[in-house]
Amino acid sequence: MSGDKHIFAIMEHIQGAIKPGSFEVLTASRLLADQMGGQVFAVYLGPESESEIDCESLIQYGADRVLILRHSALASYTVSAYLEALLPVIESRHPEVVLLSASIHGKELAAALSARLKTGLGSDCISLDFNSAEGLTIRRPVNSGKAISTLVYDSTRPQIATLRANVFRGAGPDASRSGQVECIEVQISENSLSLKVKEVVQETGRNLDISEARIVVSGGLGMQNAGNFKLLQDLADVLGAAVGASRPVVDDGWRDYSNQVGQTGRTVSPDLYIACGISGAVQHLAGMSFSNCIVAINKDPNAPIFSVADYGIVGDALEVLPLLTSEFREVLNA
Amino acid sequence: MKIIVCVKQVIDTAAKISVKDGKIDATGSPRVMNPYDEFAVEEALQIKQRKPDSEITLISLGPDSFKEVLKKGLAMGADRAIHLHDSLFDPLDNLGVAQVLAKAIQSLSFDLILCGRQAVDDDMAQVGPALAILLKMPFVSVVTGLTFSDDFTQAQITRQIEGGSETFESPLPVLLTCQKGLNMPRLPSLKGIIAAKKKPIETLDATAIGFDTGSEGSAHVKRIDLSLPPERKKGRILEGSLAQSLPELVRLLREEEKVV
Ligand SMILES: Cc1cc2nc3c(=O)[nH]c(=O)nc-3n(C[C@H](O)[C@H](O)[C@H](O)COP(=O)(O)OP(=O)(O)OC[C@H]3O[C@@H](n4cnc5c(N)ncnc54)[C@H](O)[C@@H]3O)c2cc1C
């Protein structure tokens, strides 16, 4: 087993429900392991026991082994408890690579791991490659997506990377795969608990997070007022999309900060981004220009947003949106 | 309360950049304080308003031009600044930067360290968390809310996460990386700019802080290429009346792009 190049894929979950980004991390890990010739460990931290975790799915998405690190203090994520649970297994099993989601928790934990282990980190990666001479090569957007940097690691291990959501989706589960499950009862000291979780609020229902959604419908100042965001929400409901916003919309209090797309907001890479009444300032483009397909609706034919859009409609968003919603509703039977 | 705020300089966010010799070329573009660091400075100032005996120390690692952001922070209202400046720091990666900062900060006393949630040039979101780990102190990244107990010994910290929010309680000292939503950074006032001229900026090099290039000076990640993102293919404006263009758009998104 030593000598083999294993990958630790750190799973994120909400009380046992694995987050979509973690399945992407598994997908990426599988591809990498096939190039490197090692095993993929889906590492799950929490109070849950094997029967409460969907180990089957983790294996089908690419894990050779599910490694459960179990402790009651892992019920909510805290970086210190996660570190204390993870470090001993990393130090005893020497994974070559540790991959995490580029989420708030994933990026925080990755930075902390790299500082504890004194090894290299690449965050928010959009591609991973392996060759036996250099090890892992990663590509990641810098300067808010205005450039792409390619990084290699030095000889310290593990090589740590966080992966941008929606970029590593792959073919999905493979029901023919098999794997093993192992559970370790870990130790968490009082010391790791000096930072206490007081409250975790999960928004439920239709408030899909914009960085995780496959479709984002976004509005700018061209939407005229907060009330008109209902038109975007209606379209989003039909498409199963999340609603984003430009910065002035957030600054004016029409939408919550967590919806802001751009350089000082969230970065999204959905399959489809529909920009309505957004001019397309560089700071906005920084947050969405890696979207797979971009549609712009703007009444100004010279708006810069059209220069990045795959499809454009020149028109009044307030007029276009209800028609577009009913058009989709019809074909989708939603 | 003794507050340390880590700041750096970045290229103005509105700047168009090009790539020359594997490096970002933004000659002539204005430089600004990293926007997230402004939230950190502002938060420190607001704490000082509530607790006037507080002292705010800015610290920045970088080339000579980084003095500009220290001056800006002092003009906003910080009390003093430390500039870590040495060509030996040039090859450092983010972990190396955190190590130097940790070295410099170790000899100071502090109750709170504030950083930006990430720098909008490298976008790595690494220095703040790494600094906390190296200083062996609790930390929370991407913070949007901060309050203190009456005696300023405990902090209540809130942040937005994907699809929700979290609230933590921590004893001091604690390190926080600041996110938009925490506050509205002020602009330096004229009075502040004048006052800043009298405030000290202390410059320290590698020797002064006892930085060991052997054990701490090598980077764990190395950039081998930098390129502009691929150009997006030329888009199409769907002409005609909405009665024609919208069904066509829906068809394209479903049948050609297969994204709906
Ligand atoms: C440091 C810094 C950071 C920033 N970070 C961000 C960020 O993270 N995200 C961000 O978005 N911005 C950011 N900005 C702001 C950015 O520069 C722009 O000001 C902002 O993106 C503009 O928002 P907007 O497109 O909604 O508004 P505007 O630029 O005012 O554009 C409104 C658009 O709506 C169109 N319009 C008007 N009425 C209609 C209608 N009825 N139907 C259709 N179209 C209509 C107009 O033609 C126009 O194109 C940042 C700026 C700075 C300096």
Side-chain angles (χ1 to χ4, degrees):
Chain A
M1 179 166 151
S2 64
D4 278 347
K5 293 178 158 53
H6 299 308
I7 299 174
F8 274 19
I10 313 296
M11 298 293 101
E12 260 183 62
H13 61 93
I14 299 172
Q15 277 130 38
I18 308 289
K19 301 207 71 172
S22 291
F23 288 118
E24 290 191 61
V25 171
L26 277 176
T27 304
S29 300
R30 181 73 261 150
L31 283 173
L32 204 58
D34 290 343
Q35 296 174 55
M36 291 177 12
Q39 291 192 324
V40 174
F41 289 69
V43 184
Y44 181 103
L45 296 88
E48 290 82 13
S49 62
E50 182 179 339
S51 60
E52 296 166 286
I53 301 165
D54 184 3
C55 297
E56 192 88 339
S57 291
L58 300 181
I59 291 166
Q60 292 186 359
Y61 273 90
D64 299 299
R65 302 215 192 173
V66 178
L67 184 57
I68 303 168
L69 306 181
R70 191 161 178 242
H71 194 285
S72 59
L74 298 169
S76 301
Y77 163 91
T78 59
V79 65
S80 40
Y82 263 54
L83 272 182
E84 193 175 345
L86 268 171
L87 284 168
V89 264
I90 291 178
E91 277 156 4
S92 64
R93 305 201 184 195
H94 310 289
E96 184 77 0
V97 176
V98 177
L99 298 181
L100 309 90
S101 302
S103 59
I104 301 280
H105 290 169
K107 283 163 95 169
E108 178 176 273
L109 181 59
L113 277 174
S114 130
R116 280 296 292 269
L117 296 163
K118 303 268 193 308
T119 68
L121 166 70
S123 66
D124 218 11
C125 301
I126 54 170
S127 80
L128 301 173
D129 272 299
F130 173 82
N131 70 56
S132 46
E134 276 164 334
L136 195 58
T137 302
I138 59 166
R139 296 175 74 238
R140 51 183 303 272
V142 293
N143 290 77
S144 316
K146 289 178 203 167
I148 297 178
S149 164
T150 306
L151 297 180
V152 292
Y153 294 74
D154 71 351
S155 58
T156 54
R157 296 290 179 267
Q159 306 164 98
I160 304 172
T162 65
L163 310 186
R164 180 172 286 196
N166 285 336
V167 186
F168 295 90
R169 277 213 295 261
D174 173 357
S176 70
R177 290 189 43 80
S178 62
Q180 296 163 1
V181 180
E182 182 186 352
C183 184
I184 302 176
E185 305 284 340
V186 295
Q187 306 287 320
I188 308 278
S189 62
E190 266 310 301
N191 207 15
S192 281
L193 304 173
S194 74
L195 186 76
K196 290 193 173 48
V197 182
K198 293 279 286 181
E199 193 182 22
V200 178
V201 181
Q202 285 299 332
E203 285 164 11
T204 46
R206 66 185 193 181
N207 287 328
L208 200 57
D209 185 71
I210 58 169
S211 68
E212 295 175 341
R214 293 191 173 198
I215 303 180
V216 175
V217 180
S218 234
L221 283 183
M223 294 303 294
Q224 318 289 339
N225 59 50
N228 287 335
F229 270 72
K230 168 94 175 45
L231 302 176
L232 294 171
Q233 188 65 58
D234 289 345
L235 176 59
D237 287 346
V238 169
L239 295 175
V243 177
S246 68
R247 178 167 108 163
V249 161
V250 170
D251 288 348
D252 288 351
W254 301 358
R255 304 292 292 179
D256 186 71
Y257 170 70
S258 59
N259 298 311
Q260 180 182 320
V261 174
Q263 185 144 24
T264 44
R266 314 282 302 277
T267 308
V268 299
S269 319
D271 290 343
L272 174 61
Y273 187 87
I274 306 181
C276 307
I278 293 177
S279 60
V282 280
Q283 294 97 342
H284 189 81
L285 302 184
M288 44 67 77
S289 59
F290 283 85
S291 304
N292 187 7
C293 180
I294 298 172
V295 172
I297 303 170
N298 195 302
K299 68 178 185 190
D300 172 8
N302 297 317
I305 189 77
F306 287 121
S307 69
V308 298
D310 298 283
Y311 302 104
I313 302 272
V314 178
D316 183 343
L318 307 182
E319 184 193 343
V320 173
L321 277 167
L323 295 172
L324 187 58
T325 303
S326 59
E327 197 66 40
F328 272 121
R329 191 174 281 134
E330 210 160 286
V331 298
L332 296 172
N333 268 324
Chain B
M1 171 141 39
K2 289 202 177 343
I3 308 170
I4 292 174
V5 187
C6 303
V7 293
K8 78 169 288 189
Q9 189 178 50
V10 296
I11 300 163
D12 188 289
T13 56
K16 284 244 156 61
I17 61 174
S18 55
V19 172
K20 211 166 113 189
D21 306 327
K23 283 203 182 102
I24 301 266
D25 180 24
T27 327
S29 297
R31 312 274 157 157
V32 296
M33 185 187 287
N34 177 41
Y36 295 110
D37 301 348
E38 292 185 350
F39 298 118
V41 175
E42 178 62 32
E43 196 61 21
L45 295 173
Q46 294 192 9
I47 294 167
K48 185 164 174 158
Q49 277 164 2
R50 275 172 280 156
K51 202 171 173 1
D53 63 345
S54 300
E55 185 197 44
I56 304 170
T57 304
L58 305 172
I59 185 161
S60 188
L61 184 159
D64 215 29
S65 67
F66 277 36
K67 277 215 172 62
E68 293 306 316
V69 295
L70 291 173
K71 283 183 194 150
K72 176 173 180 183
L74 292 173
M76 286 170 80
D79 298 297
R80 62 189 196 110
I82 298 172
H83 185 198
L84 303 172
H85 181 32
D86 197 312
S87 57
L88 287 174
F89 300 151
D90 292 348
L92 296 175
D93 62 5
N94 288 300
L95 184 52
V97 168
Q99 275 168 332
V100 175
L101 288 171
K103 266 252 147 84
I105 290 173
Q106 251 158 26
S107 61
L108 307 173
S109 69
F110 54 86
D111 306 292
L112 180 66
I113 300 180
L114 299 172
C115 303
R117 75 134 151 134
Q118 69 191 54
V120 300
D121 48 8
D122 197 39
D123 286 326
M124 199 70 105
Q126 183 177 10
V127 170
L131 181 57
I133 294 290
L134 297 171
L135 292 170
K136 299 192 169 59
M137 62 195 286
F139 78 98
V140 181
S141 61
V142 200
V143 170
T144 50
L146 173 64
T147 56
F148 293 96
S149 60
D150 290 340
D151 59 358
F152 284 87
T153 57
Q154 290 276 327
Q156 181 145 323
I157 303 145
T158 305
R159 69 170 163 198
Q160 312 283 310
I161 51 168
E162 293 80 8
S165 66
E166 292 173 332
T167 303
F168 299 95
E169 202 166 72
S170 175
L172 300 185
V174 64
L175 182 147
L176 309 174
T177 78
C178 301
Q179 165 73 321
K180 182 174 176 184
L182 186 59
N183 54 47
M184 290 288 264
R186 71 194 66 190
L187 292 171
S189 64
L190 192 57
K191 213 173 120 208
I193 294 170
I194 293 165
K197 295 208 164 84
K198 292 207 201 75
K199 293 179 182 172
I201 299 182
E202 185 184 359
T203 302
L204 300 175
D205 62 10
T207 322
I209 59 163
F211 172 73
D212 175 359
T213 40
S215 65
E216 297 160 321
S218 68
H220 295 295
V221 287
K222 188 174 88 199
R223 187 165 75 204
I224 54 167
D225 184 52
L226 187 74
S227 55
L228 294 178
E231 290 264 340
R232 294 193 70 94
K233 68 178 193 312
K234 184 103 191 70
R236 227 178 98 189
I237 301 281
L238 302 174
E239 315 274 355
S241 70
L242 293 177
Q244 295 164 323
S245 61
L246 293 184
E248 174 63 359
L249 177 61
V250 170
R251 187 193 69 76
L252 286 165
L253 294 178
R254 283 169 55 79
E255 290 168 22
E256 305 277 320
E257 304 287 344
K258 299 187 170 45
V259 289
V260 176

